[in-house]
Amino acid sequence: MSQAGPSNLQVPATEKPQDITSKGEAGLPQPAVQQQRPNKRLVHPSIIIAIWIAFSSGVIVYNKYLLVNLNYPFPVFLTTFHMSFAAVGTRLLARYTTLLNGLSSVEMTMDRWYRNILPIGALFSASLILSNMAYLHLSVPFIQMLKAFTPVAVLIISFSFGLKQLSTTLTAIVTMISFGVAMASYGELDFNMTGFIFQVLAIAFESTRLVMVQVLLQGLKMDPLVSLYYFAPVCAAFNMVILPFAEGLKPFRMLAQLGPFVLVSNAGVAFGLNVASVFLIGAASSLTLTLAGVLKDILLILGSMWILGSTVTGLQFVGYGIALAGLVLFKTHKIGRAVQQEC
């Protein structure tokens, strides 16, 4: 939430475009299985995609602005507040709206909660905190470029545990994405090793979470809001345990200078991303969502250059372009394999 990835994420059978909740952004837990697509669309898909792009980009820029420009360098507190806000928000939506009707299709037992929800929530918490910590040291464009490596990390973990078979096509795609990210990293003018390590660790935790979602939540029908309903309290609890040791009382003492409007509106944008993601899943095809994710990343990089004054070199543009092309090839390859399996 803090990418709602704050820190994106998305996602077993239905992946977020380039992992929609990457995660540092408002950390969107992806659905565990296929989603039900509505038969009637009251809003044109292009409008829904535009709203999702606005929320997804907005929460990342807002997090960076709050943590750095407003001089409130407390990513653990920010993530804790986001998750607490989401925990309360999803319960209010469940009580007063139909957006969480999917809860009725999830058979959640205490054993399943301990074995599945708790470990995934712990990984989700770590990925969000580390992703937000990276914003203190790295530019938004560079972080987005590094996030392009997430699918590669997911594949590496899946290969390691025998969940996927290595193929020539996947090897070529992995090499292409890795080369593009490496080129973008080499071209970064304000490279910071501390921030780089934080982001690499965030990707590692997020990738492990995505693999565990595929393994542990297989068969559960959970859209982003239903997932958030279960994971947000777990993340908030883990963060509250970490907060006193990581940041102490400083975030609370500096709340007055930040103001309640900024804090609540920031969490509101992150929560709005999750709501928009529910409608996004049913708005268009998987490939369209992937292309929407690519468009979002491009607009986010250009927007951060304009709003935050970030610097992006020509070498980074070329490297990131190669990585994005690899991501599109990866998604189309997955779609093609899925179609073959259904036939």
Side-chain angles (χ1 to χ4, degrees), residues 205-220:
F205 277 107
E206 176 65 6
S207 301
T208 304
R209 181 186 75 87
L210 295 179
V211 174
M212 289 190 68
V213 166
Q214 296 178 32
V215 175
L216 298 180
L217 298 186
Q218 189 64 38
L220 290 182

Side-chain angles (χ1 to χ4, degrees), residues 117-141:
I117 301 299
L118 192 61
I120 293 175
L123 290 169
F124 188 35
S125 174
S127 70
L128 290 176
I129 290 175
L130 289 165
S131 183
N132 275 332
M133 291 176 73
Y135 283 116
L136 296 174
H137 306 278
L138 301 177
S139 68
V140 169

Side-chain angles (χ1 to χ4, degrees), residues 4-325:
S7 168
N8 76 71
L9 67 106
Q10 274 218 76
V11 232
T14 52
E15 283 194 339
K16 301 174 285 186
Q18 199 198 325
D19 214 20
I20 285 180
T21 111
S22 330
K23 180 332 157 326
E25 324 168 5
L28 172 63
Q30 61 252 51
V33 291
Q34 72 279 4
Q35 301 299 321
Q36 300 296 324
R37 294 184 182 272
N39 294 325
K40 295 182 179 180
R41 291 173 179 164
L42 300 179
V43 181
H44 194 274
S46 61
I47 297 177
I48 297 176
I49 292 173
I51 293 173
W52 173 79
I53 289 177
F55 272 109
S56 185
S57 302
V59 71
I60 295 174
V61 173
Y62 203 166
N63 282 353
K64 175 70 173 181
Y65 180 76
L66 189 156
L67 292 167
V68 178
N69 297 67
L70 294 183
N71 194 29
Y72 192 77
F74 305 110
V76 178
F77 175 83
L78 184 64
T79 306
T80 304
F81 187 79
H82 280 194
M83 291 293 98
S84 301
F85 188 98
V88 174
T90 50
R91 277 144 185 81
L92 291 175
L93 289 180
R95 184 177 180 86
Y96 297 109
T97 74
T98 60
L99 288 176
L100 277 105
N101 283 354
L103 286 171
S104 60
S105 64
V106 179
E107 185 181 348
M108 186 58 62
T109 62
M110 187 59 69
D111 181 68
R112 173 172 280 169
W113 188 88
Y114 276 115
R115 291 176 177 270
N116 301 355
I117 301 299
L118 192 61
I120 293 175
L123 290 169
F124 188 35
S125 174
S127 70
L128 290 176
I129 290 175
L130 289 165
S131 183
N132 275 332
M133 291 176 73
Y135 283 116
L136 296 174
H137 306 278
L138 301 177
S139 68
V140 169
F142 187 39
I143 288 175
Q144 291 305 116
M145 293 174 189
L146 291 176
K147 285 181 180 179
F149 190 75
T150 301
V152 175
V154 171
L155 283 174
I156 292 173
I157 295 172
S158 298
F159 293 149
S160 301
F161 287 92
L163 301 176
K164 287 187 179 295
Q165 298 297 320
L166 190 62
S167 67
T168 303
T169 302
L170 281 179
T171 301
I173 293 175
V174 165
T175 302
M176 182 178 181
I177 296 175
S178 301
F179 177 76
V181 173
M183 182 181 292
S185 301
Y186 184 77
E188 173 63 21
L189 294 178
D190 299 318
F191 184 87
N192 181 284
M193 182 57 72
T194 300
F196 180 78
I197 292 174
F198 282 146
Q199 188 56 48
V200 169
L201 289 175
I203 292 173
F205 277 107
E206 176 65 6
S207 301
T208 304
R209 181 186 75 87
L210 295 179
V211 174
M212 289 190 68
V213 166
Q214 296 178 32
V215 175
L216 298 180
L217 298 186
Q218 189 64 38
L220 290 182
K221 296 181 178 180
M222 299 172 68
D223 64 32
L225 277 180
V226 172
S227 297
L228 194 63
Y229 179 92
Y230 288 111
F231 288 117
V234 176
C235 292
F238 274 113
N239 293 353
M240 288 178 186
V241 173
I242 298 171
L243 180 59
F245 302 98
E247 296 170 354
L249 296 176
K250 290 183 180 179
F252 301 95
R253 293 170 181 160
M254 293 182 64
L255 273 178
Q257 77 174 42
L258 187 67
F261 174 78
V262 173
L263 191 62
V264 173
S265 62
N266 177 255
V269 173
F271 187 68
L273 171 61
N274 291 281
V275 177
S277 297
V278 173
F279 295 95
L280 177 73
I281 290 173
S285 67
S286 182
L287 180 58
T288 301
L289 298 184
T290 300
L291 296 176
V294 171
L295 176 61
K296 182 266 295 184
D297 288 338
I298 294 173
L299 293 176
L300 177 57
I301 289 175
L302 295 176
S304 64
M305 293 173 65
W306 175 54
I307 298 172
L308 300 174
S310 303
T311 301
V312 180
T313 64
L315 185 62
Q316 284 184 295
F317 274 120
V318 174
Y320 192 47
I322 294 173
L324 287 181

